[in-house]
Amino acid sequence: MLNPQFDGYKLRLVDEQRGAVWSHPLANLSFVEPQQIASNALLAYEEVYSRIHYNHLFVGPRNNTFIYIDSERRVCLAEIQREDDAPRITNIFDIPTRPSTYALPGYYGAYAISETMILVFDGAASVYVLQRADTEGSDSVDEQWVASGMFEIGMGSVAAGPIADNERQTMYYILGAQLTKVEKNVVIQIQVCYRLNKETGDVSKDSAKPNQPHSSLVQQRLPPVFCIEALQVTIPQFSAELPGGVDYSAHGSGILGLNATTVHTLHSHAIPVYCEFISNNQYVLGVRGGIVLDDTELVDQASDKAIPPNMNSNPYYWTQTATDVTVCIELPVAVEANQIFCEQTRSSLSLQFTNSAECENYTYNRKQYCNYIVAGESVWTLENGRLLTLYLQKEHEGMRWTSVFADDDGVLETMDPNEFAAIRERLEKYTSSDLEVETPSAPLMQPYIDQDSGGDPEQLDAEDPVVFSVRSWSAGQADASSVAGAPDWLCPAFPQAPQHQPAHMQQPPPVCLKFDVDGVVFGFEASEGSLPMHANVSARHTGTFSALSYIQAGKREKRFAFIASDMTVCVLAETQRRVYIYHQVKHANASSAAQNLVDLGDSGGDAELVGMQLVGETLVVLRKHSLCFIDLSLC
C-alpha cells in the first residue's frame, strides 16, 4: 500500500432529505431493453465479458447532457435541469431497421464527437451521422437533429451470407471516434473491432496425437483473434449546410451514403479496453496481451504461416538473480510439449527432441552446469511452441554464474529482462493464433462460449496485463509502448463531453491501474514532438485511490467501475440496485476517506442497472424503466 497510514473507507450516509438522490420514470413506450441474440450464438469469452459490462448510457454533446437508446430504437437526448428534478428528454432520431444478414445484432451506441455531431450505431453494421440543425440557439428547447449521412463498417448490410441466427458469428464494436480536419477536409476518424472467424478443428480419434486425452473426438482450442480496424470518413462540404434539396429525415431514403475507407488494421487476442485520440495522426490503445500483428508486419499470403529465424546467433539467452537462472531457447520450428525430453540433475542438463530434425543443434546430453542447481525445484515451460524456457533454482544462493555451462560457450548474460519480453512478443505475432493450446485441462482461452451458460465467472474476471501503445493513425505502427511488468488494468475514467480544444493536440482521459492493493491513476500527457503531427506522449502517476484494487476484487456482482477525471471519486456499480462511491482522501497521508452506499431499490422489479455516466456533479444511473440521479456534491 502506497499510504501505510490508510485504515479504510468510512461509511457516510447520503442525506436523501436534501435531495441527494432522486429518480425519473421513463415513458411506458420508452423503456430500455438491450438487444438479445440467439441463445445458441457462439461468442468468445471477450465478447461475453464485453456484453455483460456494456454501458448503455452515453455521454452527450454538451456538459449537462447524456444519451440513451430505448427499445423502440429511439435515440433520446436528455438534459439535466436540477431546478425541477425532471430531465428534459428529446427524441432526436429513430434508428432505421436495416438488419444485416452477416453480423450478429450487437448493442446500440451513440458517440458525441462535437457539440453539433453525434454518431449513432445500430448494433449491426450501420453508423448514422447526426448533425444539429439549429446551431444558432444552442439552448433551444426545440433543438433539431437530422441524419446528414450514413456509412457501413465491416461487411455492411450484405444481401448474401448466412441468414440463420446461429450462423452469424461477427459482432462489431466501436472503440472510439473523433471529428477532425485532414488538410482541407472535415473527416470522421473511427476505430472498430470485430472477431475474425477462426473455426475450431475436430480431430478424429485415429488421427489424434499421442499423449492427448483419450476421447473419440479431440477439439483443438484456438485463442480468438480480433481485428482492430481504423476507418476514415470524409464529410462533404455541403453536408454541413444541410441543403433543403436532400431528404434528411430520419425515415427517408435520402440519407446520404458516405464511404468509409480502411486506414490500417491491427490484430489482438482481446477487445481493447482503452482507445483515445491524441491528435489527428496519433492515438493511445490499451489491449490485454498487446498487439500480435499489425499492417507493418504483414507477410505474403503464400507464406503467412512462416516463422522468422532466430535473429541471434547464440543458441540461447540467459539471465540470473541471486536465487535462480533463467535460460530461454528460441527453437527454429514449432514443436509440441510431448516432443521434448528434458531431464535435469543437480549438475547437468539432458535435452532431446523427437521427430524434429531442425532442433538437433539444440540438444544436450548430460551437459554440465556451471554450478549446482536444486533439480526438484527447477522446471521448464514451452510458449507458443517455440520458446523453451528453463527455470533453474540455484543451490548456492547469492553466487553469480559466469556462464550457464561448465565449458564456457561464450554466450554472455542478457542483463535486460525486457529483451525476453521482446522475444515472446515477436514469436506471438507469428504463432499464437495458429498453435493448439497444449494443456486441455487449463486452456489459455476457450475460443467460444454459449451465451446461455454465461461462462465461468472466475475466467471472465481473469485479466491479462494490458499493454498501452501510442500509435500512428496513418500506418498503425507503435511510436511508444508500455513495458512488461507495468501496473495492470483496473478501470477507465468517465468519458467527457466533446471539448473545444483543437484536434491537433488532446489530453486523453486518465486510467486507473492496479498496484498491489491500491488503484493508481495515470494521466497521458501530450506535448509537441519533433515530427509534424506527432506528439511526445508520456504517462504520469497523478493520484492514488488507496485499497481500491483490493475492494473491487471483492465485488463479485460488479458491472461498472469508473473514476472521475479529476480523481475526486471512484464509482462501482453492481448488477442490481447498489452503487458504491469512494471519495478521494483529503491529503496524502490521511488515515481514511469517505464512502457512500446508495441502494436504488427495486421499484416494480426495476432493479437492474444497465448504464452509468457522470454529468457534471450528478451521477446518472440508467435502469430499464427509470433514470436515477445522485448529486455527488451532497454525498
Side-chain angles (χ1 to χ4, degrees):
M1 181 176 289
L2 295 178
N3 178 12
Q5 306 298 325
F6 189 77
D7 291 332
Y9 291 90
K10 308 301 182 184
L11 183 63
R12 187 165 68 192
L13 298 179
V14 176
D15 188 359
E16 299 188 18
Q17 298 298 324
R18 297 177 58 193
V21 181
W22 71 99
S23 63
H24 177 75
L26 299 178
N28 290 335
L29 298 179
S30 187
F31 63 91
V32 176
E33 184 65 51
Q35 286 195 103
Q36 301 296 314
I37 61 176
S39 59
N40 57 353
L42 298 175
L43 300 179
Y45 275 125
E46 286 281 346
E47 293 176 296
V48 174
Y49 189 88
S50 177
R51 287 180 66 88
I52 292 173
H53 299 279
Y54 189 82
N55 191 353
H56 294 272
L57 199 59
F58 311 98
V59 66
R62 301 185 300 278
N63 287 330
N64 60 337
T65 61
F66 58 91
I67 302 171
Y68 66 91
I69 302 174
D70 67 18
S71 59
E72 298 297 319
R73 304 169 68 92
R74 291 185 291 246
V75 180
C76 300
L77 175 62
E79 182 175 2
I80 293 180
Q81 300 180 110
R82 190 64 177 90
E83 57 273 9
D84 59 4
D85 288 346
R88 186 180 73 195
I89 301 177
T90 305
N91 174 24
I92 62 173
F93 182 62
D94 291 354
I95 302 176
T97 303
R98 291 172 55 88
S100 171
T101 59
Y102 181 82
L104 283 167
Y107 289 143
Y108 305 129
Y111 310 90
I113 56 177
S114 77
E115 288 188 344
T116 58
M117 185 174 290
I118 300 172
L119 302 183
V120 175
F121 179 45
D122 71 349
S126 300
V127 180
Y128 297 88
V129 181
L130 305 188
Q131 288 186 257
R132 186 168 180 177
D134 59 328
T135 54
E136 294 297 328
S138 59
D139 294 327
S140 171
V141 176
D142 299 321
E143 61 183 85
Q144 299 294 319
W145 292 77
V146 294
S148 63
M150 183 271 290
F151 60 91
E152 293 188 333
I153 60 178
M155 294 288 292
S157 302
V158 295
I163 298 177
D165 287 343
N166 62 345
E167 295 179 5
R168 304 178 191 177
Q169 294 190 14
T170 303
M171 186 176 295
Y172 295 97
Y173 309 86
I174 293 182
L175 305 176
Q178 75 168 355
L179 184 68
T180 186
K181 284 189 176 181
V182 177
E183 297 178 349
K184 295 183 179 180
N185 297 318
V186 178
V187 301
I188 297 171
Q189 294 175 329
I190 184 170
Q191 295 273 19
V192 302
C193 179
Y194 56 92
R195 174 169 50 83
L196 299 176
N197 290 326
K198 294 176 71 66
E199 301 292 344
T200 56
D202 292 330
V203 182
S204 66
K205 175 183 176 182
D206 295 336
S207 61
K209 300 180 180 65
N211 301 326
Q212 285 186 323
H214 179 73
S215 64
S216 59
L217 199 63
V218 178
Q219 186 183 58
Q220 294 180 344
R221 299 184 183 273
L222 302 177
V225 176
F226 291 90
C227 178
I228 304 165
E229 193 169 25
L231 303 175
Q232 188 162 293
V233 182
T234 300
I235 304 297
Q237 292 294 333
F238 66 82
S239 174
E241 301 174 2
L242 302 176
V246 180
D247 179 10
Y248 285 105
S249 66
H251 300 285
S253 59
I255 297 179
L256 182 67
L258 304 175
N259 184 36
T261 58
T262 300
V263 180
H264 69 263
T265 58
L266 306 170
H267 293 84
S268 70
H269 290 313
I271 300 172
V273 296
Y274 187 88
C275 183
E276 297 290 343
F277 288 91
I278 302 170
S279 65
N280 59 9
N281 198 44
Q282 279 182 304
Y283 63 95
V284 180
L285 187 70
V287 59
R288 302 189 191 283
I291 297 299
V292 296
L293 189 66
D294 60 33
D295 284 351
T296 63
E297 298 154 333
L298 291 176
V299 293
D300 293 337
Q301 189 70 23
S303 59
D304 61 353
K305 293 187 179 181
I307 300 175
N310 189 331
M311 301 303 178
N312 193 310
S313 58
N314 294 326
Y316 57 86
Y317 306 81
W318 73 285
T319 189
Q320 66 179 309
T321 66
T323 59
D324 54 62
V325 176
T326 302
V327 181
C328 289
I329 304 174
E330 187 178 344
L331 302 176
V333 296
V335 300
E336 297 180 0
N338 56 25
Q339 293 179 255
I340 300 174
F341 170 79
C342 182
E343 182 181 57
Q344 300 189 75
T345 68
R346 180 169 176 256
S347 60
S348 67
L349 168 69
S350 294
L351 181 63
Q352 305 291 332
F353 300 89
T354 60
N355 301 323
S356 182
E358 296 87 348
C359 296
E360 287 184 358
N361 294 332
Y362 298 85
T363 61
Y364 299 96
N365 184 21
R366 297 182 180 177
K367 183 81 169 179
Q368 296 295 306
Y369 285 126
C370 172
N371 214 308
Y372 294 123
I373 67 170
V374 182
E377 298 181 11
S378 300
V379 297
W380 62 272
T381 63
L382 180 66
E383 299 177 56
N384 303 319
R386 286 200 52 205
L387 190 61
L388 177 64
T389 305
L390 309 178
Y391 300 94
L392 312 178
Q393 183 72 32
K394 291 181 178 179
E395 183 174 292
H396 303 295
E397 294 185 3
M399 179 176 292
R400 293 199 64 83
W401 290 19
T402 57
S403 62
V404 175
F405 298 108
D407 52 338
D408 190 353
D409 51 10
V411 179
L412 299 178
E413 179 182 359
T414 302
M415 302 302 294
D416 184 5
N418 288 331
E419 188 167 332
F420 287 88
I423 298 170
R424 289 186 173 91
E425 182 179 356
R426 179 160 60 86
L427 291 179
E428 280 188 358
K429 293 174 183 177
Y430 293 89
T431 62
S432 58
S433 63
D434 294 315
L435 288 179
E436 176 183 352
V437 177
E438 282 299 323
T439 53
S441 60
L444 177 65
M445 179 180 286
Q446 184 177 332
Y448 301 109
I449 181 170
D450 190 326
Q451 187 198 19
D452 280 347
S453 68
D456 183 350
E458 294 294 336
Q459 288 180 295
L460 287 178
D461 285 341
E463 300 177 348
D464 295 328
V466 171
V467 177
F468 291 92
S469 56
V470 179
R471 295 189 171 268
S472 164
W473 173 261
S474 57
Q477 79 271 10
D479 297 331
S481 181
S482 61
V483 298
D488 195 14
W489 178 260
L490 188 60
C491 68
F494 281 108
Q496 295 180 303
Q499 303 297 310
H500 294 287
Q501 60 194 50
H504 71 272
M505 186 68 63
Q506 302 180 45
Q507 300 295 340
V511 295
C512 189
L513 307 178
K514 297 177 182 178
F515 185 80
D516 194 18
V517 298
D518 294 331
V520 291
V521 180
F522 280 83
F524 295 96
E525 296 184 346
S527 59
E528 294 289 349
S530 58
L531 297 177
M533 297 187 299
H534 277 73
N536 292 324
V537 182
S538 60
R540 187 171 64 90
H541 177 210
T542 57
T544 301
F545 283 95
S546 297
L548 183 61
S549 177
Y550 174 80
I551 290 171
Q552 71 85 31
K555 306 294 185 187
R556 301 306 300 166
E557 297 297 323
K558 179 190 67 178
R559 171 165 282 182
F560 304 117
F562 294 97
I563 61 169
S565 292
D566 60 3
M567 294 184 298
T568 53
V569 295
C570 174
V571 181
L572 304 181
E574 294 188 344
T575 304
Q576 296 185 349
R577 299 180 53 157
R578 285 181 288 272
V579 176
Y580 300 87
I581 303 168
Y582 299 93
H583 296 260
Q584 185 59 271
V585 293
K586 294 183 178 181
H587 55 85
N589 296 320
S591 61
S592 65
Q595 168 196 353
N596 304 120
L597 168 59
V598 180
D599 190 336
L600 298 175
D602 183 8
S603 177
D606 188 23
E608 184 177 359
L609 312 184
V610 296
M612 184 170 66
Q613 286 295 343
L614 183 61
V615 183
E617 291 188 327
T618 302
L619 181 66
V620 184
V621 180
L622 176 66
R623 299 194 290 189
K624 289 186 176 182
H625 296 275
S626 63
L627 288 164
C628 299
F629 303 88
I630 305 172
D631 189 341
L632 296 183
S633 66
L634 300 177
C635 291

